[in-house]
PDB file of all heavy atoms in Angstrom:
ATOM      1  N   ARG A  29      51.425   6.582 -69.562  1.00 97.00           N
ATOM      2  CA  ARG A  29      51.610   5.248 -68.741  1.00 97.00           C
ATOM      3  C   ARG A  29      50.859   5.440 -67.460  1.00 97.00           C
ATOM      4  O   ARG A  29      51.555   5.543 -66.376  1.00 97.00           O
ATOM      5  CB  ARG A  29      53.021   4.983 -68.580  1.00 97.00           C
ATOM      6  CG  ARG A  29      53.839   4.576 -69.751  1.00 97.00           C
ATOM      7  CD  ARG A  29      55.295   4.813 -69.689  1.00 97.00           C
ATOM      8  NE  ARG A  29      56.011   3.921 -70.456  1.00 97.00           N
ATOM      9  CZ  ARG A  29      57.433   3.973 -70.540  1.00 97.00           C
ATOM     10  NH1 ARG A  29      58.055   4.868 -69.845  1.00 97.00           N
ATOM     11  NH2 ARG A  29      58.018   3.158 -71.312  1.00 97.00           N
ATOM     12  N   ARG A  31      48.214   4.776 -64.194  1.00 95.00           N
ATOM     13  CA  ARG A  31      48.312   3.544 -63.252  1.00 95.00           C
ATOM     14  C   ARG A  31      47.050   2.558 -63.557  1.00 95.00           C
ATOM     15  O   ARG A  31      47.248   1.409 -63.588  1.00 95.00           O
ATOM     16  CB  ARG A  31      48.239   4.062 -61.904  1.00 95.00           C
ATOM     17  CG  ARG A  31      48.381   3.004 -60.785  1.00 95.00           C
ATOM     18  CD  ARG A  31      48.083   3.573 -59.484  1.00 95.00           C
ATOM     19  NE  ARG A  31      49.047   4.617 -59.103  1.00 95.00           N
ATOM     20  CZ  ARG A  31      49.895   4.599 -58.049  1.00 95.00           C
ATOM     21  NH1 ARG A  31      49.870   3.625 -57.215  1.00 95.00           N
ATOM     22  NH2 ARG A  31      50.649   5.616 -57.726  1.00 95.00           N
ATOM     23  N   SER A  33      42.703   1.904 -65.067  1.00 89.00           N
ATOM     24  CA  SER A  33      41.721   2.271 -65.967  1.00 89.00           C
ATOM     25  C   SER A  33      40.849   3.531 -65.422  1.00 89.00           C
ATOM     26  O   SER A  33      40.469   4.333 -66.207  1.00 89.00           O
ATOM     27  CB  SER A  33      40.814   1.077 -66.358  1.00 89.00           C
ATOM     28  OG  SER A  33      40.455   0.387 -65.291  1.00 89.00           O
ATOM     29  N   ASN A  67      51.435   2.133 -71.984  1.00 96.00           N
ATOM     30  CA  ASN A  67      51.558   0.949 -71.207  1.00 96.00           C
ATOM     31  C   ASN A  67      50.373  -0.017 -71.524  1.00 96.00           C
ATOM     32  O   ASN A  67      49.516   0.371 -72.332  1.00 96.00           O
ATOM     33  CB  ASN A  67      51.765   1.283 -69.699  1.00 96.00           C
ATOM     34  CG  ASN A  67      50.515   1.962 -69.135  1.00 96.00           C
ATOM     35  OD1 ASN A  67      49.508   2.143 -69.864  1.00 96.00           O
ATOM     36  ND2 ASN A  67      50.520   2.210 -67.912  1.00 96.00           N
ATOM     37  N   SER A  68      50.392  -1.206 -70.921  1.00 95.00           N
ATOM     38  CA  SER A  68      49.393  -2.162 -71.247  1.00 95.00           C
ATOM     39  C   SER A  68      47.992  -1.682 -70.760  1.00 95.00           C
ATOM     40  O   SER A  68      47.039  -1.944 -71.376  1.00 95.00           O
ATOM     41  CB  SER A  68      49.707  -3.471 -70.633  1.00 95.00           C
ATOM     42  OG  SER A  68      49.697  -3.453 -69.174  1.00 95.00           O
ATOM     43  N   ARG A  82      33.177  -1.171 -82.879  1.00 98.00           N
ATOM     44  CA  ARG A  82      32.833  -2.293 -83.780  1.00 98.00           C
ATOM     45  C   ARG A  82      31.372  -2.681 -83.422  1.00 98.00           C
ATOM     46  O   ARG A  82      30.634  -2.976 -84.294  1.00 98.00           O
ATOM     47  CB  ARG A  82      33.729  -3.396 -83.409  1.00 98.00           C
ATOM     48  CG  ARG A  82      33.415  -4.718 -84.183  1.00 98.00           C
ATOM     49  CD  ARG A  82      34.173  -5.878 -83.698  1.00 98.00           C
ATOM     50  NE  ARG A  82      33.623  -6.440 -82.482  1.00 98.00           N
ATOM     51  CZ  ARG A  82      34.306  -7.139 -81.598  1.00 98.00           C
ATOM     52  NH1 ARG A  82      35.531  -7.430 -81.683  1.00 98.00           N
ATOM     53  NH2 ARG A  82      33.635  -7.529 -80.463  1.00 98.00           N
ATOM     54  N   LYS A  83      31.108  -2.675 -82.176  1.00 97.00           N
ATOM     55  CA  LYS A  83      29.841  -3.242 -81.667  1.00 97.00           C
ATOM     56  C   LYS A  83      28.694  -2.232 -82.121  1.00 97.00           C
ATOM     57  O   LYS A  83      27.591  -2.556 -82.610  1.00 97.00           O
ATOM     58  CB  LYS A  83      29.736  -3.458 -80.183  1.00 97.00           C
ATOM     59  CG  LYS A  83      30.487  -4.738 -79.835  1.00 97.00           C
ATOM     60  CD  LYS A  83      30.408  -4.964 -78.334  1.00 97.00           C
ATOM     61  CE  LYS A  83      31.094  -6.284 -78.088  1.00 97.00           C
ATOM     62  NZ  LYS A  83      31.268  -6.494 -76.684  1.00 97.00           N
ATOM     63  N   SER A 103      52.519  -3.531 -82.431  1.00 94.00           N
ATOM     64  CA  SER A 103      51.235  -3.738 -81.649  1.00 94.00           C
ATOM     65  C   SER A 103      50.015  -3.011 -82.316  1.00 94.00           C
ATOM     66  O   SER A 103      48.919  -3.440 -81.880  1.00 94.00           O
ATOM     67  CB  SER A 103      51.433  -3.278 -80.252  1.00 94.00           C
ATOM     68  OG  SER A 103      52.331  -4.143 -79.578  1.00 94.00           O
ATOM     69  N   ASN A 106      47.304  -5.040 -83.890  1.00 97.00           N
ATOM     70  CA  ASN A 106      46.320  -5.852 -83.112  1.00 97.00           C
ATOM     71  C   ASN A 106      44.905  -5.249 -83.154  1.00 97.00           C
ATOM     72  O   ASN A 106      43.920  -5.981 -82.944  1.00 97.00           O
ATOM     73  CB  ASN A 106      46.822  -5.895 -81.629  1.00 97.00           C
ATOM     74  CG  ASN A 106      48.080  -6.780 -81.556  1.00 97.00           C
ATOM     75  OD1 ASN A 106      48.241  -7.556 -82.244  1.00 97.00           O
ATOM     76  ND2 ASN A 106      48.934  -6.314 -80.515  1.00 97.00           N
ATOM     77  N   ARG A 109      42.855  -6.687 -85.652  1.00 97.00           N
ATOM     78  CA  ARG A 109      42.346  -7.989 -85.326  1.00 97.00           C
ATOM     79  C   ARG A 109      41.125  -7.934 -84.587  1.00 97.00           C
ATOM     80  O   ARG A 109      40.337  -8.908 -84.564  1.00 97.00           O
ATOM     81  CB  ARG A 109      43.467  -8.862 -84.532  1.00 97.00           C
ATOM     82  CG  ARG A 109      44.792  -8.982 -85.367  1.00 97.00           C
ATOM     83  CD  ARG A 109      44.873 -10.270 -86.112  1.00 97.00           C
ATOM     84  NE  ARG A 109      44.464 -11.477 -85.312  1.00 97.00           N
ATOM     85  CZ  ARG A 109      45.517 -12.156 -84.621  1.00 97.00           C
ATOM     86  NH1 ARG A 109      46.672 -11.791 -84.700  1.00 97.00           N
ATOM     87  NH2 ARG A 109      45.066 -13.262 -83.931  1.00 97.00           N
TER      88      ARG A 109
ATOM     89  N   SER B  33      55.304   3.219 -55.965  1.00 97.00           N
ATOM     90  CA  SER B  33      53.833   3.473 -56.017  1.00 97.00           C
ATOM     91  C   SER B  33      53.497   4.905 -55.672  1.00 97.00           C
ATOM     92  O   SER B  33      52.547   5.553 -56.256  1.00 97.00           O
ATOM     93  CB  SER B  33      53.209   2.477 -55.079  1.00 97.00           C
ATOM     94  OG  SER B  33      51.817   2.682 -55.040  1.00 97.00           O
ATOM     95  N   TRP B  36      54.388   7.476 -59.159  1.00 97.00           N
ATOM     96  CA  TRP B  36      54.244   6.564 -60.232  1.00 97.00           C
ATOM     97  C   TRP B  36      55.202   6.771 -61.408  1.00 97.00           C
ATOM     98  O   TRP B  36      55.639   5.746 -62.067  1.00 97.00           O
ATOM     99  CB  TRP B  36      52.824   6.727 -60.874  1.00 97.00           C
ATOM    100  CG  TRP B  36      52.303   5.548 -61.702  1.00 97.00           C
ATOM    101  CD1 TRP B  36      52.117   5.691 -63.077  1.00 97.00           C
ATOM    102  CD2 TRP B  36      52.131   4.241 -61.438  1.00 97.00           C
ATOM    103  NE1 TRP B  36      51.790   4.533 -63.526  1.00 97.00           N
ATOM    104  CE2 TRP B  36      51.705   3.580 -62.535  1.00 97.00           C
ATOM    105  CE3 TRP B  36      52.331   3.506 -60.175  1.00 97.00           C
ATOM    106  CZ2 TRP B  36      51.585   2.091 -62.570  1.00 97.00           C
ATOM    107  CZ3 TRP B  36      51.994   2.125 -60.224  1.00 97.00           C
ATOM    108  CH2 TRP B  36      51.682   1.568 -61.358  1.00 97.00           C
ATOM    109  N   SER B  40      58.347   4.746 -64.989  1.00 97.00           N
ATOM    110  CA  SER B  40      58.714   5.061 -66.309  1.00 97.00           C
ATOM    111  C   SER B  40      60.161   5.609 -66.337  1.00 97.00           C
ATOM    112  O   SER B  40      60.913   5.337 -67.217  1.00 97.00           O
ATOM    113  CB  SER B  40      57.724   5.858 -67.110  1.00 97.00           C
ATOM    114  OG  SER B  40      57.542   7.109 -66.319  1.00 97.00           O
ATOM    115  N   GLU B  78      56.440  -2.227 -67.590  1.00 97.00           N
ATOM    116  CA  GLU B  78      55.436  -3.278 -67.153  1.00 97.00           C
ATOM    117  C   GLU B  78      55.934  -3.961 -65.793  1.00 97.00           C
ATOM    118  O   GLU B  78      55.102  -4.109 -64.872  1.00 97.00           O
ATOM    119  CB  GLU B  78      55.157  -4.221 -68.241  1.00 97.00           C
ATOM    120  CG  GLU B  78      54.441  -3.721 -69.485  1.00 97.00           C
ATOM    121  CD  GLU B  78      53.120  -3.103 -69.177  1.00 97.00           C
ATOM    122  OE1 GLU B  78      52.240  -3.745 -68.444  1.00 97.00           O
ATOM    123  OE2 GLU B  78      52.708  -2.042 -69.690  1.00 97.00           O
ATOM    124  N   GLU B  81      55.983  -1.424 -62.964  1.00 97.00           N
ATOM    125  CA  GLU B  81      54.593  -1.114 -62.524  1.00 97.00           C
ATOM    126  C   GLU B  81      53.971  -2.291 -61.703  1.00 97.00           C
ATOM    127  O   GLU B  81      53.292  -1.985 -60.750  1.00 97.00           O
ATOM    128  CB  GLU B  81      53.640  -0.889 -63.820  1.00 97.00           C
ATOM    129  CG  GLU B  81      53.945   0.536 -64.475  1.00 97.00           C
ATOM    130  CD  GLU B  81      52.814   0.787 -65.451  1.00 97.00           C
ATOM    131  OE1 GLU B  81      51.902   0.001 -65.645  1.00 97.00           O
ATOM    132  OE2 GLU B  81      52.943   1.808 -66.177  1.00 97.00           O
ATOM    133  N   ASP B 134      48.478 -15.649 -78.548  1.00 97.00           N
ATOM    134  CA  ASP B 134      47.682 -14.859 -79.419  1.00 97.00           C
ATOM    135  C   ASP B 134      46.203 -14.947 -79.105  1.00 97.00           C
ATOM    136  O   ASP B 134      45.553 -13.930 -79.068  1.00 97.00           O
ATOM    137  CB  ASP B 134      48.052 -15.417 -80.860  1.00 97.00           C
ATOM    138  CG  ASP B 134      47.628 -14.384 -81.951  1.00 97.00           C
ATOM    139  OD1 ASP B 134      48.344 -13.418 -82.022  1.00 97.00           O
ATOM    140  OD2 ASP B 134      46.629 -14.742 -82.735  1.00 97.00           O
ATOM    141  N   GLU B 142      38.580  -8.874 -75.252  1.00 94.00           N
ATOM    142  CA  GLU B 142      37.123  -8.983 -75.519  1.00 94.00           C
ATOM    143  C   GLU B 142      36.427  -9.052 -74.097  1.00 94.00           C
ATOM    144  O   GLU B 142      35.483  -8.423 -73.827  1.00 94.00           O
ATOM    145  CB  GLU B 142      36.709 -10.225 -76.338  1.00 94.00           C
ATOM    146  CG  GLU B 142      37.205 -10.194 -77.778  1.00 94.00           C
ATOM    147  CD  GLU B 142      36.389  -9.120 -78.675  1.00 94.00           C
ATOM    148  OE1 GLU B 142      35.329  -8.641 -78.255  1.00 94.00           O
ATOM    149  OE2 GLU B 142      36.967  -8.735 -79.757  1.00 94.00           O
ATOM    150  N   GLU B 146      33.837  -6.103 -71.847  1.00 85.00           N
ATOM    151  CA  GLU B 146      32.603  -6.397 -71.191  1.00 85.00           C
ATOM    152  C   GLU B 146      32.710  -5.810 -69.728  1.00 85.00           C
ATOM    153  O   GLU B 146      31.740  -5.278 -69.224  1.00 85.00           O
ATOM    154  CB  GLU B 146      32.188  -7.852 -71.127  1.00 85.00           C
ATOM    155  CG  GLU B 146      31.974  -8.414 -72.484  1.00 85.00           C
ATOM    156  CD  GLU B 146      30.829  -7.829 -73.216  1.00 85.00           C
ATOM    157  OE1 GLU B 146      29.809  -7.629 -72.536  1.00 85.00           O
ATOM    158  OE2 GLU B 146      30.898  -7.733 -74.419  1.00 85.00           O
ATOM    159  N   ASP B 148      35.899  -4.571 -66.770  1.00 73.00           N
ATOM    160  CA  ASP B 148      37.297  -4.345 -66.561  1.00 73.00           C
ATOM    161  C   ASP B 148      37.757  -5.346 -65.506  1.00 73.00           C
ATOM    162  O   ASP B 148      37.403  -5.262 -64.435  1.00 73.00           O
ATOM    163  CB  ASP B 148      37.492  -2.930 -66.138  1.00 73.00           C
ATOM    164  CG  ASP B 148      38.972  -2.550 -65.984  1.00 73.00           C
ATOM    165  OD1 ASP B 148      39.735  -3.372 -66.531  1.00 73.00           O
ATOM    166  OD2 ASP B 148      39.265  -1.491 -65.582  1.00 73.00           O
ATOM    167  N   LYS B 161      53.633 -12.131 -77.117  1.00 96.00           N
ATOM    168  CA  LYS B 161      53.126 -12.219 -78.485  1.00 96.00           C
ATOM    169  C   LYS B 161      53.744 -11.295 -79.503  1.00 96.00           C
ATOM    170  O   LYS B 161      54.144 -11.736 -80.506  1.00 96.00           O
ATOM    171  CB  LYS B 161      51.582 -11.833 -78.384  1.00 96.00           C
ATOM    172  CG  LYS B 161      50.820 -11.930 -79.586  1.00 96.00           C
ATOM    173  CD  LYS B 161      49.409 -11.460 -79.330  1.00 96.00           C
ATOM    174  CE  LYS B 161      49.026 -10.135 -79.840  1.00 96.00           C
ATOM    175  NZ  LYS B 161      49.329  -9.975 -81.228  1.00 96.00           N
ATOM    176  N   ASP B 162      53.915 -10.049 -79.102  1.00 96.00           N
ATOM    177  CA  ASP B 162      54.469  -9.066 -80.041  1.00 96.00           C
ATOM    178  C   ASP B 162      56.003  -8.921 -80.101  1.00 96.00           C
ATOM    179  O   ASP B 162      56.588  -8.625 -80.997  1.00 96.00           O
ATOM    180  CB  ASP B 162      53.853  -7.607 -79.754  1.00 96.00           C
ATOM    181  CG  ASP B 162      52.307  -7.543 -80.023  1.00 96.00           C
ATOM    182  OD1 ASP B 162      51.900  -8.606 -80.655  1.00 96.00           O
ATOM    183  OD2 ASP B 162      51.725  -6.659 -79.486  1.00 96.00           O
TER     184      ASP B 162
END
Side-chain angles (χ1 to χ4, degrees):
Chain A
R29 290 159 154 177
R31 186 189 300 239
S33 41
N67 63 0
S68 63
R82 178 193 76 202
K83 287 182 176 169
S103 297
N106 290 331
R109 299 268 307 271
Chain B
S33 180
W36 191 247
S40 56
E78 292 297 318
E81 283 191 6
D134 200 68
E142 294 289 344
E146 297 295 324
D148 187 9
K161 180 181 106 53
D162 292 345

